[in-house]
Amino acid sequence: MTNVSFDESALANFVEPNELNEIKPMLNTARDELVNGTGVESEMREWLTLPKDYDKEEFDRIKQAAKQIQSDSKVLVVIGIGGSYLGAKMALDFLHDNFYESTPDDQRDFPQVIFAGNSISGSYVHDLVKLIGDRDFSVNVISKSGTTTEPSIAFRIFRKLLVAKYGEDDAKKRIYVTTDAKNGALRKEVAANGYESFVIPDGIGGRYSVLCPVGLLPIAASGVDIDELMQGAADAQDFYTTKPLTENGALQYAAYRNILYRKGYTNEILENYEPNLRFLAEWWKQLAGETEGKDNKGIYPSSANFSTDLHSLGQYIQQGMRNLMETVVKIEQPPFDVDVPKTGDNGDGIEYLEGRTMNYVNEKAFESVILAHTNGGVPNMVVNVKDQSAYSLGELIYFFEFGIAVSAYLNGINPFNQPGVEDYKKNMFALLGKPGYEDLKHQIEINAAAKNQKQAINSEESKNTAK
């Protein structure tokens, strides 16, 4: 592996050499549970071999569909929430320039890819419809069940717009569905309407789905070479599933973050120094949070974008509670650079930077932050990425997927379920009056009434005490 590497050198004051040796037997057990399928819910590890063992015929259909979208649409609306959109959004930001989404149509070679169904904001959808305007567009709706509230609402809205613009029959040709192979509401719609469709494999959960049709169709439609992306992931699969701890950065990442977690560093901040890596952190937060946050355990995932957030979060990181660890994703070869201009005066105090480049300054900011934060008691790890190519991203995706899954097993956690996600949904369905949730709605109303009564009693007692 050459494009992604792990650097633990800044942990020297936080982890003793013997600690890595002491966790190694448990780490190897966790790795074996994942690789050999002996851990809990092993049927959900299809992503582990996906980069090499994927449906080649469907992969070709994805590329064909992407070409069709490129030929007839200025905009692709991707409808999904959670893993059904974060992976694609992360990849598009990582692989395109910072203002890719706002580039005018006459200056872009591929469709603008925009996302819907990831919130319940009427204002967002209104603004999105306004952004599309009278331009030609297609829709890719992504949902395993087809009944998730946010994307279901969005699909109804954008399907109606398609029919109004193109008519019933032509609208069907602009709808691409990514869903379960056999079951679910969307699969029934595919059968009824003849939509082009792609399959979310049974053994892949949403947060591990970016390298299946969930992510691949939007990524391909944006003009990315998905063969290169999958090759990077395939080489990573060969490497991370076979190499021992001493050579394996993903295993080292899993080991060190668990050593630190056991010492009270319960929050991990994923950081970057390139603005178009912001959604890499958003994708990683779901991957880490849903994989590890169970049974009152798990490292809390958060993120920061440097140097920007050094002027807002920097004070807390430097001198706040000492429960933070930092992982920096560092691009070794950014795609572009800009010189610091010479002006002939030093009114702004940066004459000493003349002749330097912005990337040089960014590099020194990175080095100085590592030094300051480690001196301040915050352990730092670095994931070095050679460049922002599709191949490197494929490697990076697999690095984090593998490392986080091993980390969960290492902590005695099922990496592949997310039982807590359903709790808010049940309450929302009850409050919205969804059939079948009448008893829960009644209980919520009883609890609310009891809470109001208690507050009224406490208020009256406070008044009497004041008298």
Side-chain angles (χ1 to χ4, degrees):
M1 298 295 290
T2 57
N3 286 26
V4 176
S5 62
F6 179 73
D7 180 3
E8 80 291 352
S9 59
L11 296 178
N13 294 330
F14 302 93
V15 179
E16 298 296 332
N18 64 287
E19 293 181 89
L20 190 62
N21 290 329
E22 288 163 2
I23 204 172
K24 183 177 178 180
M26 292 182 286
L27 180 78
N28 288 340
T29 297
R31 177 204 60 201
D32 292 345
E33 285 183 309
L34 178 63
V35 173
N36 299 330
T38 56
V40 294
E41 210 148 341
S42 59
E43 68 275 9
M44 295 304 295
R45 25 185 298 285
E46 194 171 336
W47 58 270
L48 194 68
T49 57
L50 180 68
K52 299 178 72 174
D53 186 19
Y54 59 88
D55 186 329
K56 306 302 189 294
E57 182 273 332
E58 183 178 55
F59 192 79
D60 286 339
R61 286 198 300 112
I62 289 171
K63 291 192 283 188
Q64 292 168 12
K67 289 181 180 178
Q68 181 61 41
I69 294 166
Q70 291 164 359
S71 70
D72 66 18
S73 299
K74 294 296 185 182
V75 180
L76 173 64
V77 181
V78 180
I79 298 174
I81 195 167
S84 294
Y85 100 97
L86 281 171
K89 174 61 175 169
M90 169 272 291
L92 294 180
D93 283 8
F94 186 100
L95 297 170
H96 293 288
D97 69 66
N98 285 280
F99 302 103
Y100 160 79
E101 290 301 341
S102 57
T103 303
D105 287 343
D106 61 359
Q107 296 178 30
R108 71 167 60 246
D109 296 322
F110 301 100
Q112 182 180 26
V113 181
I114 53 182
F115 295 84
N118 48 52
S119 74
I120 320 177
S121 168
S123 296
Y124 179 90
V125 171
H126 170 272
D127 295 345
L128 192 55
V129 172
K130 183 179 178 181
L131 176 66
I132 295 171
D134 62 356
R135 294 184 293 168
D136 288 318
F137 73 101
S138 295
V139 167
N140 174 209
V141 57
I142 307 167
S143 174
K144 189 127 185 171
S145 67
T147 58
T148 305
T149 304
E150 294 90 342
S152 293
I153 292 173
F155 185 40
R156 284 195 178 199
I157 293 167
F158 285 96
R159 178 172 52 191
K160 181 179 179 180
L161 290 173
L162 283 172
V163 172
K165 185 175 180 66
Y166 300 105
E168 193 76 42
D169 291 339
D170 285 345
K172 293 177 181 179
K173 298 175 185 177
R174 292 176 172 272
I175 294 174
Y176 301 83
V177 176
T178 308
T179 189
D180 188 84
K182 299 178 181 178
N183 303 309
L186 278 176
R187 181 52 60 188
K188 291 178 181 178
E189 291 201 38
V190 168
N193 296 287
Y195 301 144
E196 178 73 274
S197 67
F198 304 95
V199 172
I200 304 174
D202 289 337
I204 296 179
R207 58 188 176 275
Y208 290 91
S209 66
V210 62
L211 295 177
C212 81
V214 168
L216 291 179
L217 178 57
I219 294 169
S222 78
V224 171
D225 183 348
I226 57 174
D227 288 289
E228 182 184 348
L229 180 72
M230 294 300 281
Q231 187 60 57
D235 290 345
Q237 175 188 328
D238 285 340
F239 187 88
Y240 291 122
T241 59
T242 61
K243 294 297 182 181
L245 176 61
T246 53
E247 303 173 42
N248 194 319
L251 288 181
Q252 292 167 18
Y253 173 61
Y256 281 115
R257 66 199 299 272
N258 273 273
I259 291 171
L260 293 168
Y261 174 62
R262 286 154 173 76
K263 294 184 175 191
Y265 299 100
T266 56
N267 293 7
E268 182 178 5
I269 309 176
L270 193 78
E271 300 162 353
N272 65 76
Y273 285 77
E274 294 293 337
N276 58 357
L277 268 61
R278 182 171 70 86
F279 262 87
L280 173 70
E282 297 302 311
W283 169 79
W284 171 87
K285 283 193 286 190
Q286 185 194 11
L287 177 68
E290 277 194 355
T291 298
E292 296 187 296
K294 298 155 202 173
D295 306 326
N296 297 316
K297 295 188 290 186
I299 299 166
Y300 181 78
S302 60
S303 62
N305 307 288
F306 290 167
S307 64
T308 304
D309 287 341
L310 290 171
H311 296 261
S312 57
L313 297 176
Q315 172 61 41
Y316 187 94
I317 296 172
Q318 188 68 42
Q319 295 182 326
M321 291 181 65
R322 299 298 78 183
N323 61 350
L324 304 176
M325 65 176 105
E326 297 173 275
T327 300
V328 183
V329 177
K330 182 177 180 297
I331 304 300
E332 295 179 327
Q333 300 172 13
F336 301 104
D337 203 356
V338 175
D339 293 333
V340 178
K342 296 182 179 181
T343 63
D345 65 67
N346 194 33
D348 54 13
I350 62 168
E351 186 179 36
Y352 71 100
L353 295 178
E354 292 179 355
R356 304 290 191 181
T357 70
M358 290 188 71
N359 287 347
Y360 173 84
V361 178
N362 212 18
E363 174 75 19
K364 296 309 170 186
F366 157 76
E367 293 173 5
S368 67
V369 170
I370 293 278
L371 181 61
H373 288 185
T374 52
N375 286 343
V378 184
N380 272 248
M381 299 171 280
V382 181
V383 178
N384 292 298
V385 185
K386 180 181 178 181
D387 53 33
Q388 289 180 236
S389 65
Y391 183 93
S392 292
L393 180 59
E395 287 190 32
L396 186 62
I397 288 169
Y398 202 91
F399 174 96
F400 279 125
E401 288 181 343
F402 188 82
I404 294 291
V406 170
S407 181
Y409 275 138
L410 182 58
N411 203 16
I413 294 171
N414 179 349
F416 305 122
N417 66 349
Q418 53 274 346
V421 173
E422 301 303 317
D423 291 347
Y424 92 89
K425 293 182 182 179
K426 294 174 184 176
N427 292 336
M428 182 176 70
F429 294 155
L431 292 172
L432 289 171
K434 184 174 182 177
Y437 289 83
E438 292 83 4
D439 290 346
L440 179 56
K441 182 178 182 181
H442 182 59
Q443 187 60 53
I444 290 173
E445 290 170 346
I446 291 174
N447 293 342
K451 181 180 179 180
N452 291 337
Q453 184 179 20
K454 183 177 180 181
Q455 288 175 340
I457 292 172
N458 291 339
S459 178
E460 188 64 29
E461 289 177 349
S462 297
K463 289 179 182 178
N464 293 335
T465 300
K467 292 178 180 178

